[in-house]
Amino acid sequence: MRKQVFVNEDKRTTVVVLNNEANGILVRGKSICHETDTFNAELGLEIANTRAWIKYYEALGKICEEDIDAMTDIMACWMEEAMKTALANLPVSENRV
């Protein structure tokens, strides 16, 4: 995980970029100081950081949901194959209806 912070006092903005190459997640959070407010880089960093982490965990949640869906499909296929195997290996009885 790599975190980068960019502060531009002239434009009164702060940007936090989170990059997790292992999961393919790249997000950014941005704060912009209103023209009538006093620019505070520390407060801007807190806001931008929070926004970036919210986006990060939303993206991570989507990845987890996709993984869960894929695993559910795989397990359904395994269960179907296990049932077929079990039924194929049942002993045949003459009294069976």
Side-chain angles (χ1 to χ4, degrees):
M1 168 71 82
R2 188 175 64 185
K3 176 180 174 180
Q4 295 175 292
V5 177
F6 303 94
V7 178
N8 186 329
E9 291 188 26
D10 294 335
K11 292 185 179 181
R12 304 162 57 89
T13 61
T14 305
V15 176
V16 172
V17 177
L18 301 175
N19 185 2
N20 184 335
E21 292 179 8
N23 290 324
I25 298 174
L26 176 64
V27 294
R28 106 188 149 125
K30 183 176 183 180
S31 67
I32 303 171
C33 181
H34 192 269
E35 59 191 36
T36 60
D37 291 336
T38 302
F39 180 73
N40 181 334
E42 219 173 281
L43 179 60
L45 175 59
E46 288 181 31
I47 293 168
N49 192 54
T50 300
R51 289 176 176 169
W53 280 106
I54 288 170
K55 289 178 182 180
Y56 175 81
Y57 282 113
E58 286 174 348
L60 189 59
K62 284 183 182 181
I63 291 171
C64 290
E65 285 176 11
E66 292 169 1
D67 289 348
I68 289 170
D69 290 343
M71 291 306 296
T72 301
D73 291 344
I74 290 169
M75 290 197 52
C77 290
W78 285 348
M79 289 300 293
E80 186 177 325
E81 289 301 314
M83 288 295 290
K84 286 179 186 177
T85 302
L87 290 173
N89 292 324
L90 281 176
V92 179
S93 171
E94 293 177 18
N95 297 332
R96 196 169 172 192
V97 179

